[in-house]
């Protein structure tokens, strides 16, 4: 691709790209036709944005994560397996980007805490930090009380409508692990 890929919210109606299947569109993207990503974006951006928003508790960077998912999909288009819908594949990309984001935020958080300790000469009380974290969790919405693996699995199943097999493929885990996460997530929500 000679030019940087940009994502428009809408493409002109009536163009032949509107009728492209997901597989055909991604094949064209893999061949360098960046405009072929438009129908993929139009079909799936609402569901992906909703998933990212739920998975991150509406973090400030939801739209950035959404666009990163589609930019990553454009780069990874040659690896798409050609199935009818690329939606589970896109969710897989989003999950991996969310995992990378979580690791990055954790590193920044540790670095900032260490910097604060050095500057103030004060040590962080782990008990006080844990108590503060517990208080924040008690005020959060029901989804935020779940562990990330449970929350992600539950969002993919209940909100996005993916099957257990599709979730297992997206998360790269056994289907039995998906069932366990969903069972525990639903039980935790009931409590």
């Amino acid at each position: 691709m000679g030019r940087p890929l940009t994502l428009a919210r809408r493409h002109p109606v009536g163009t032949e790209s509107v009728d492209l299947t997901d597989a055909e569109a991604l094949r064209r993207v893999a061949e360098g036709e960046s405009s072929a990503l438009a129908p993929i974006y139009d079909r799936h951006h609402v569901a992906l944005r909703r998933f990212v928003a739920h998975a991150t508790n509406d973090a400030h960077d939801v739209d950035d994560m959404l666009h990163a998912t589609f930019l990553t999909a454009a780069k990874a288009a040659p690896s798409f397996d050609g199935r009818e819908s690329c939606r589970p594949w896109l969710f897989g990309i989003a999950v991996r980007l969310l995992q990378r984001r979580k690791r990055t935020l954790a590193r920044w958080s540790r670095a900032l805490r260490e910097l604060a300790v050095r500057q103030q000469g004060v040590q962080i009380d782990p008990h006080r930090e844990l108590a503060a974290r517990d208080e924040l969790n008690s005020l959060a919405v029901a989804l935020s009380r779940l562990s990330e693996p449970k929350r992600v699995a539950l969002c993919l199943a209940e909100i996005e409508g993916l099957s257990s097999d599709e979730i297992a493929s997206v998360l790269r885990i056994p289907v039995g692990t998906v069932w366990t996460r969903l069972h525990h997530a639903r039980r935790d929500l009931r409590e």
Side-chain angles (χ1 to χ4, degrees):
M1 293 185 215
R3 297 180 301 159
L5 182 65
T6 58
L7 299 175
R9 283 201 124 18
R10 290 275 157 222
H11 55 279
V13 178
T15 64
E16 74 172 53
S17 67
V18 174
D19 297 327
L20 292 177
T21 65
D22 287 0
E24 178 64 17
L26 284 170
R27 184 189 62 73
R28 287 186 180 188
V29 170
E31 293 172 353
E33 188 181 327
S34 60
S35 64
L37 192 60
I40 300 289
Y41 184 86
D42 285 347
R43 276 183 212 125
H44 303 292
H45 80 277
V46 171
L48 279 165
R49 187 185 193 293
R50 181 178 54 231
F51 167 70
V52 171
H54 285 296
T56 63
N57 287 324
D58 281 322
H60 67 283
D61 59 347
V62 170
D63 288 324
D64 292 339
M65 294 299 300
L66 174 68
H67 288 102
T69 300
F70 282 98
L71 291 172
T72 302
K75 292 176 190 170
S79 72
F80 181 66
D81 62 8
R83 68 183 97 160
E84 184 178 329
S85 173
C86 69
R87 192 169 129 169
W89 182 73
L90 290 170
F91 282 123
I93 292 171
V95 166
R96 286 184 287 288
L97 289 173
L98 288 170
Q99 291 167 340
R100 184 182 312 151
R101 172 188 175 271
K102 182 180 177 184
R103 287 189 303 269
T104 299
L105 291 175
R107 282 193 301 270
W108 274 103
S109 179
R110 279 192 304 271
L112 289 173
R113 275 196 310 265
E114 289 173 14
L115 180 62
V117 167
R118 287 186 193 132
Q119 286 182 342
Q120 296 176 1
V122 177
Q123 292 188 5
I124 295 173
D125 179 0
H127 298 293
R128 185 182 299 168
E129 188 176 4
L130 184 58
R133 199 174 303 145
D134 287 343
E135 288 175 24
L136 287 175
N137 286 337
S138 69
L139 298 174
V141 294
L143 280 178
S144 68
R145 285 182 253 163
L146 299 174
S147 68
E148 182 178 336
K150 290 179 193 174
R151 183 174 59 244
V152 167
L154 189 68
C155 287
L156 288 171
E158 298 298 332
I159 297 171
E160 301 308 329
L162 270 62
S163 70
S164 294
D165 289 332
E166 289 173 322
I167 295 169
S169 174
V170 165
L171 298 178
R172 297 180 180 169
I173 59 175
V175 72
T177 303
V178 172
W179 295 335
T180 301
R181 287 181 185 176
L182 290 174
H183 169 76
H184 289 289
R186 289 174 180 137
R187 184 200 62 207
D188 292 350
L189 284 176
R190 280 191 301 271
E191 291 172 1

